[in-house]
Protein backbone atom coordinates (compact mmCIF):
# COMPACT_ATOMS: atom_id res chain seq x y z
CA UNK A 1 0.00 0.00 0.00
CA UNK A 2 1.24 3.48 -0.88
CA UNK A 3 1.01 5.10 2.53
CA UNK A 4 4.28 7.03 2.81
CA UNK A 5 5.28 10.46 1.52
CA UNK A 6 8.98 11.22 1.14
CA UNK A 7 10.05 14.87 1.48
CA UNK A 8 13.47 16.55 1.24
CA UNK A 9 14.76 18.22 4.36
CA UNK A 10 15.58 21.83 4.97
CA UNK A 11 19.11 22.51 3.72
CA UNK A 12 20.30 23.51 7.20
CA UNK A 13 18.28 21.03 9.31
CA UNK A 14 18.16 17.41 8.19
CA UNK A 15 15.27 16.55 10.50
CA UNK A 16 12.92 19.29 9.32
CA UNK A 17 11.03 19.35 6.03
CA UNK A 18 12.07 21.92 3.41
CA UNK A 19 10.30 25.16 4.31
CA UNK A 20 8.80 25.57 0.83
CA UNK A 21 7.09 22.19 1.23
CA UNK A 22 5.85 22.72 4.77
CA UNK A 23 2.22 23.36 3.77
CA UNK A 24 2.15 20.08 1.90
CA UNK A 25 3.80 18.28 4.81
CA UNK A 26 1.19 19.63 7.23
CA UNK A 27 -1.62 18.60 4.86
CA UNK A 28 -0.19 15.08 4.66
CA UNK A 29 -0.07 14.81 8.44
CA UNK A 30 -3.60 16.21 8.75
CA UNK A 31 -5.06 13.40 6.60
CA UNK A 32 -3.94 10.81 9.13
CA UNK A 33 -3.36 8.36 6.26
CA UNK A 34 0.39 8.58 5.71
CA UNK A 35 3.73 8.04 7.33
CA UNK A 36 6.29 10.71 6.46
CA UNK A 37 9.97 10.21 5.70
CA UNK A 38 12.51 13.01 5.31
CA UNK A 39 15.83 12.66 3.51
CA UNK A 40 18.77 15.03 3.79
CA UNK A 41 18.61 17.59 1.00
CA UNK A 42 22.28 18.56 1.33
CA UNK A 43 23.61 15.01 1.37
CA UNK A 44 21.59 13.91 -1.64
CA UNK A 45 21.61 16.93 -3.94
CA UNK A 46 25.17 17.96 -3.12
CA UNK A 47 26.88 14.58 -2.62
CA UNK A 48 24.43 11.90 -3.87
CA UNK A 49 24.41 10.29 -0.42
CA UNK A 50 20.97 9.15 0.72
CA UNK A 51 20.28 9.71 4.42
CA UNK A 52 16.76 9.04 5.76
CA UNK A 53 15.52 10.27 9.13
CA UNK A 54 14.10 6.86 10.17
CA UNK A 55 15.35 3.29 10.21
CA UNK A 56 13.53 1.11 7.68
CA UNK A 57 12.77 -2.44 8.82
CA UNK A 58 10.23 -3.56 6.23
CA UNK A 59 9.26 -2.70 2.64
CA UNK A 60 7.68 0.73 2.18
CA UNK A 61 5.78 1.99 -0.86
CA UNK A 62 6.16 5.72 -1.17
CA UNK A 63 5.50 8.86 -3.17
CA UNK A 64 8.26 11.42 -3.43
CA UNK A 65 7.20 15.06 -3.19
CA UNK A 66 10.01 17.47 -3.84
CA UNK A 67 12.35 19.12 -6.28
CA UNK A 68 13.00 18.09 -9.87
CA UNK A 69 15.94 15.85 -10.66
CA UNK A 70 17.48 15.08 -14.00
CA UNK A 71 16.49 11.64 -15.24
CA UNK A 72 19.84 9.99 -14.47
CA UNK A 73 19.84 11.43 -10.96
CA UNK A 74 16.27 10.24 -10.39
CA UNK A 75 17.32 6.72 -11.42
CA UNK A 76 20.12 6.83 -8.82
CA UNK A 77 17.60 8.11 -6.27
CA UNK A 78 15.09 5.38 -7.12
CA UNK A 79 17.73 2.64 -6.86
CA UNK A 80 19.23 4.01 -3.64
CA UNK A 81 15.78 4.04 -2.06
CA UNK A 82 15.03 0.53 -3.34
CA UNK A 83 18.21 -0.72 -1.65
CA UNK A 84 16.69 0.55 1.62
CA UNK A 85 13.35 -1.20 0.88
CA UNK A 86 11.63 2.06 -0.10
CA UNK A 87 9.84 1.69 -3.43
CA UNK A 88 8.68 4.81 -5.26
CA UNK A 89 5.45 4.94 -7.27
CA UNK A 90 7.21 6.21 -10.42
CA UNK A 91 9.77 4.03 -12.16
CA UNK A 92 12.85 5.69 -13.73
CA UNK A 93 11.50 4.98 -17.24
CA UNK A 94 8.12 6.57 -16.46
CA UNK A 95 9.83 9.54 -14.84
CA UNK A 96 12.02 10.13 -17.89
CA UNK A 97 9.07 9.85 -20.28
CA UNK A 98 6.83 12.35 -18.49
CA UNK A 99 9.50 14.68 -17.07
CA UNK A 100 11.11 15.33 -20.46
CA UNK A 101 8.44 16.78 -22.73
CA UNK A 102 9.97 15.61 -26.04
CA UNK A 103 9.77 12.01 -24.80
CA UNK A 104 5.99 12.34 -24.45
CA UNK A 105 5.50 14.54 -27.51
CA UNK A 106 4.38 11.78 -29.89
CA UNK A 107 1.64 10.83 -27.41
CA UNK A 108 0.42 14.42 -27.08
CA UNK A 109 1.08 15.95 -30.51
CA UNK A 110 -2.57 15.94 -31.63
CA UNK A 111 -3.30 18.51 -28.94
CA UNK A 112 -0.09 20.41 -28.36
CA UNK A 113 2.07 22.97 -30.14
CA UNK A 114 4.35 21.92 -32.99
CA UNK A 115 7.90 21.30 -31.78
CA UNK A 116 11.40 20.65 -33.08
CA UNK A 117 14.33 19.48 -30.96
CA UNK A 118 18.09 19.99 -31.22
CA UNK A 119 21.12 18.72 -29.28
CA UNK A 120 22.59 21.14 -26.77
CA UNK A 121 24.91 23.79 -28.24
CA UNK A 122 24.18 22.74 -31.82
CA UNK A 123 23.80 25.51 -34.39
CA UNK A 124 20.12 26.22 -35.10
CA UNK A 125 19.33 27.68 -38.51
CA UNK A 126 16.85 30.51 -37.98
CA UNK A 127 15.85 30.59 -41.65
CA UNK A 128 14.70 26.97 -41.37
CA UNK A 129 12.69 27.83 -38.26
CA UNK A 130 10.98 30.68 -40.09
CA UNK A 131 9.74 28.20 -42.67
CA UNK A 132 7.99 26.18 -39.96
CA UNK A 133 6.93 28.80 -37.41
CA UNK A 134 5.35 32.24 -37.52
CA UNK A 135 6.29 32.63 -33.86
CA UNK A 136 8.32 30.28 -31.69
CA UNK A 137 9.72 30.00 -28.18
CA UNK A 138 12.82 28.31 -26.76
CA UNK A 139 13.04 25.81 -23.88
CA UNK A 140 15.23 22.95 -22.88
CA UNK A 141 13.58 19.54 -22.43
CA UNK A 142 12.06 20.64 -19.09
CA UNK A 143 11.95 24.41 -18.60
CA UNK A 144 12.03 27.80 -20.26
CA UNK A 145 13.71 30.85 -18.70
CA UNK A 146 10.42 32.63 -18.01
CA UNK A 147 10.78 35.62 -15.71
CA UNK A 148 14.09 36.76 -17.19
CA UNK A 149 14.93 39.25 -19.95
CA UNK A 150 15.08 36.40 -22.47
CA UNK A 151 12.45 36.98 -25.19
CA UNK A 152 9.07 35.29 -24.64
CA UNK A 153 9.01 34.42 -28.32
CA UNK A 154 10.69 35.08 -31.65
CA UNK A 155 8.99 35.92 -34.95
CA UNK A 156 10.00 36.16 -38.59
CA UNK A 157 11.93 39.38 -37.98
CA UNK A 158 14.64 37.62 -35.93
CA UNK A 159 18.10 37.51 -37.51
CA UNK A 160 20.61 34.70 -37.14
CA UNK A 161 23.06 36.95 -35.31
CA UNK A 162 20.46 38.13 -32.80
CA UNK A 163 19.15 34.60 -32.24
CA UNK A 164 22.66 33.25 -31.64
CA UNK A 165 23.25 35.99 -29.05
CA UNK A 166 19.97 35.10 -27.35
CA UNK A 167 20.89 31.42 -27.21
CA UNK A 168 24.11 32.28 -25.39
CA UNK A 169 21.95 34.07 -22.86
CA UNK A 170 19.60 31.06 -22.62
CA UNK A 171 22.49 28.73 -21.75
CA UNK A 172 23.69 31.17 -19.10
CA UNK A 173 20.26 31.38 -17.48
CA UNK A 174 19.69 27.60 -17.35
CA UNK A 175 23.23 26.88 -16.21
CA UNK A 176 23.52 23.62 -14.28
CA UNK A 177 19.76 23.07 -14.63
CA UNK A 178 20.07 22.67 -18.40
CA UNK A 179 18.38 19.38 -19.29
CA UNK A 180 18.21 17.13 -22.35
CA UNK A 181 18.39 19.35 -25.40
CA UNK A 182 16.78 22.41 -26.96
CA UNK A 183 13.07 22.55 -27.82
CA UNK A 184 11.78 25.02 -30.36
CA UNK A 185 8.02 25.21 -29.81
CA UNK A 186 5.31 27.01 -31.69
CA UNK A 187 4.32 30.05 -29.63
CA UNK A 188 0.64 29.97 -28.69
CA UNK A 189 -1.41 33.10 -28.05
CA UNK A 190 -3.28 32.36 -24.84
CA UNK A 191 -6.61 33.79 -23.80
CA UNK A 192 -6.60 36.07 -20.77
CA UNK A 193 -9.13 36.89 -18.08
CA UNK A 194 -8.35 39.99 -16.08
CA UNK A 195 -4.80 39.88 -17.53
CA UNK A 196 -4.24 36.27 -16.41
CA UNK A 197 -3.88 33.39 -18.85
CA UNK A 198 -6.36 30.54 -18.45
CA UNK A 199 -4.23 27.52 -17.56
CA UNK A 200 -5.20 24.39 -15.66
CA UNK A 201 -3.08 21.64 -14.14
CA UNK A 202 -4.53 18.14 -14.10
CA UNK A 203 -3.07 15.48 -11.81
CA UNK A 204 -3.63 11.94 -13.03
CA UNK A 205 -3.39 9.14 -10.45
CA UNK A 206 -3.64 5.46 -11.35
CA UNK A 207 -5.01 6.48 -14.78
CA UNK A 208 -7.82 8.55 -13.29
CA UNK A 209 -8.37 12.28 -13.21
CA UNK A 210 -7.55 13.18 -9.62
CA UNK A 211 -7.68 16.99 -9.58
CA UNK A 212 -8.27 19.81 -12.07
CA UNK A 213 -7.10 23.17 -10.73
CA UNK A 214 -6.49 26.70 -11.94
CA UNK A 215 -2.76 27.11 -12.44
CA UNK A 216 -2.19 30.76 -13.41
CA UNK A 217 -4.06 32.63 -10.67
CA UNK A 218 -6.88 33.36 -13.09
CA UNK A 219 -10.35 34.33 -11.92
CA UNK A 220 -12.84 31.69 -10.73
CA UNK A 221 -15.26 32.12 -13.63
CA UNK A 222 -12.72 31.18 -16.30
CA UNK A 223 -13.81 28.01 -18.13
CA UNK A 224 -12.16 24.65 -17.56
CA UNK A 225 -10.68 22.52 -20.34
CA UNK A 226 -13.18 20.11 -21.92
CA UNK A 227 -13.66 16.84 -20.07
CA UNK A 228 -13.26 14.89 -23.29
CA UNK A 229 -9.80 16.38 -23.81
CA UNK A 230 -8.71 15.73 -20.22
CA UNK A 231 -9.94 12.14 -20.30
CA UNK A 232 -8.16 11.50 -23.60
CA UNK A 233 -4.79 11.56 -21.80
CA UNK A 234 -5.60 9.50 -18.71
CA UNK A 235 -3.68 6.42 -19.82
CA UNK A 236 -0.10 7.54 -20.26
CA UNK A 237 2.71 5.30 -19.04
CA UNK A 238 2.80 6.36 -15.39
CA UNK A 239 0.70 6.00 -12.25
CA UNK A 240 1.24 9.65 -11.24
CA UNK A 241 1.71 12.51 -13.69
CA UNK A 242 0.46 15.96 -14.66
CA UNK A 243 -0.65 17.67 -17.84
CA UNK A 244 -1.12 21.43 -18.14
CA UNK A 245 -3.83 22.72 -20.48
CA UNK A 246 -4.31 26.30 -21.70
CA UNK A 247 -7.10 28.11 -23.54
CA UNK A 248 -6.06 29.90 -26.73
CA UNK A 249 -7.29 33.24 -28.01
CA UNK A 250 -9.52 31.36 -30.46
CA UNK A 251 -11.01 29.36 -27.50
CA UNK A 252 -9.34 26.10 -28.50
CA UNK A 253 -7.47 24.19 -25.81
CA UNK A 254 -3.90 22.95 -26.06
CA UNK A 255 -1.50 20.98 -23.89
CA UNK A 256 1.41 23.19 -22.89
CA UNK A 257 3.31 20.96 -20.44
CA UNK A 258 3.43 17.52 -18.90
CA UNK A 259 5.41 16.22 -15.95
CA UNK A 260 5.98 13.57 -13.33
CA UNK A 261 3.47 13.99 -10.53
CA UNK A 262 6.08 13.67 -7.81
CA UNK A 263 7.89 16.86 -8.87
CA UNK A 264 4.92 18.87 -10.20
CA UNK A 265 3.83 21.67 -7.90
CA UNK A 266 0.33 21.97 -6.51
CA UNK A 267 -1.64 24.99 -7.69
CA UNK A 268 -2.27 27.90 -5.35
CA UNK A 269 -6.00 27.28 -5.70
CA UNK A 270 -5.83 23.64 -4.56
CA UNK A 271 -6.96 22.23 -1.25
CA UNK A 272 -3.77 20.43 -0.22
CA UNK A 273 -5.40 18.09 2.28
CA UNK A 274 -8.06 17.08 -0.23
CA UNK A 275 -5.33 16.42 -2.82
CA UNK A 276 -3.55 13.99 -0.50
CA UNK A 277 -6.81 12.27 0.40
CA UNK A 278 -7.51 11.67 -3.30
CA UNK A 279 -3.93 10.59 -3.95
CA UNK A 280 -4.14 7.95 -1.20
CA UNK A 281 -7.50 6.62 -2.35
CA UNK A 282 -6.67 6.47 -6.07
CA UNK A 283 -3.20 4.97 -5.72
CA UNK A 284 -4.39 2.23 -3.45
CA UNK A 285 -7.40 1.16 -5.51
CA UNK A 286 -5.22 -1.42 -7.26
CA UNK A 287 -4.50 -3.29 -4.04
Amino acid sequence: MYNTILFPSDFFNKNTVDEELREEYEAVVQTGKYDVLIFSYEDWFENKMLKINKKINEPIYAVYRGWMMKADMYELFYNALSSKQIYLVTSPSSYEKLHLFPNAYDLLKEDTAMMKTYPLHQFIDVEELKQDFDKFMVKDYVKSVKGTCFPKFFDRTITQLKFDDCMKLFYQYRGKLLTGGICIKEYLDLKQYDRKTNEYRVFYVNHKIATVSRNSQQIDISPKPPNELIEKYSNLDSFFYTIDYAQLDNNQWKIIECGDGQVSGLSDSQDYEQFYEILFNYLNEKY
Side-chain angles (χ1 to χ4, degrees):
M1 176 177 289
Y2 285 96
N3 61 355
T4 301
I5 304 295
L6 177 66
F7 286 108
S9 74
D10 181 80
F11 186 86
F12 299 104
N13 186 342
K14 297 177 183 179
N15 294 311
T16 302
V17 73
D18 188 302
E19 185 60 31
E20 292 193 40
L21 294 163
R22 177 157 295 279
E23 279 190 70
E24 286 198 38
Y25 168 82
E26 291 173 352
V28 168
V29 172
Q30 194 64 32
T31 67
K33 294 181 180 292
Y34 297 96
D35 294 323
V36 175
L37 295 177
I38 298 173
F39 68 94
S40 168
Y41 178 102
E42 180 182 13
D43 286 312
W44 178 252
F45 285 99
E46 299 293 327
N47 302 308
K48 295 186 175 62
M49 294 175 57
L50 186 63
K51 295 184 179 181
I52 307 289
N53 69 329
K54 295 180 184 178
K55 186 176 180 179
I56 308 303
N57 296 314
E58 59 184 19
I60 289 172
Y61 295 89
V63 176
Y64 167 55
R65 285 295 295 165
W67 310 117
M68 292 180 179
M69 303 179 198
K70 293 184 178 181
D72 57 348
M73 189 174 188
Y74 179 80
E75 185 171 11
L76 289 174
F77 186 60
Y78 182 93
N79 291 335
L81 287 166
S82 296
S83 71
K84 295 180 181 291
Q85 300 189 87
I86 302 170
Y87 303 101
L88 291 181
V89 65
T90 304
S91 70
S93 61
S94 291
Y95 180 89
E96 186 171 18
K97 174 153 278 189
L98 274 300
H99 182 57
L100 303 179
F101 191 84
N103 291 346
Y105 178 71
D106 283 344
L107 302 174
L108 308 173
K109 63 183 179 182
E110 289 184 5
D111 296 294
T112 194
M114 185 172 66
M115 182 184 72
K116 300 181 74 170
T117 59
Y118 297 86
L120 294 175
H121 303 289
Q122 176 178 298
F123 172 77
I124 300 174
D125 190 330
V126 166
E127 294 307 314
E128 288 185 4
L129 295 182
K130 290 178 184 180
Q131 293 176 21
D132 294 322
F133 303 97
D134 291 325
K135 292 191 292 187
F136 61 89
M137 60 182 293
V138 177
K139 307 179 66 172
D140 68 13
Y141 278 20
V142 176
K143 286 284 188 181
S144 66
V145 288
K146 185 168 61 175
T148 70
C149 65
F150 189 82
K152 290 174 61 177
F153 65 86
F154 300 93
D155 59 25
R156 292 177 182 272
T157 65
I158 187 68
T159 65
Q160 188 70 56
L161 181 61
K162 177 63 176 176
F163 182 76
D164 291 345
D165 286 342
C166 286
M167 287 306 299
K168 292 176 185 176
L169 189 61
F170 179 88
Y171 285 118
Q172 290 174 12
Y173 277 131
R174 285 298 283 155
K176 292 181 179 180
L177 298 177
L178 192 66
T179 302
I182 297 298
C183 294
I184 304 296
K185 294 181 70 175
E186 174 190 6
Y187 183 81
L188 301 174
D189 292 309
L190 304 185
K191 187 154 189 169
Q192 295 193 356
Y193 296 82
D194 196 26
R195 291 182 292 181
K196 301 287 186 181
T197 55
N198 193 25
E199 301 174 34
Y200 279 81
R201 171 158 293 176
V202 178
F203 275 89
Y204 295 86
V205 180
N206 202 5
H207 305 298
K208 294 186 176 183
I209 298 163
T211 61
V212 181
S213 57
R214 297 186 303 279
N215 201 41
S216 53
Q217 300 180 331
Q218 69 270 45
I219 58 177
D220 293 357
I221 62 171
S222 59
K224 293 182 179 181
N227 288 335
E228 182 180 0
L229 178 62
I230 296 174
E231 290 170 359
K232 181 177 178 179
Y233 294 100
S234 62
N235 286 297
L236 301 187
D237 187 21
S238 175
F239 281 113
F240 187 34
Y241 61 95
T242 57
I243 296 180
D244 294 349
Y245 299 87
Q247 186 181 19
L248 307 189
D249 266 347
N250 64 7
N251 290 324
Q252 288 185 330
W253 286 85
K254 291 287 187 179
I255 293 168
I256 55 173
E257 293 289 351
C258 68
D260 175 61
Q262 298 178 116
V263 298
S264 295
L266 299 183
S267 303
D268 291 341
S269 63
Q270 283 190 264
D271 181 321
Y272 287 10
E273 186 177 339
Q274 182 186 61
F275 171 81
Y276 279 102
E277 293 271 4
I278 293 171
L279 179 64
F280 182 89
N281 293 335
Y282 281 21
L283 273 182
N284 292 303
E285 279 186 354
K286 62 181 180 179
Y287 289 93

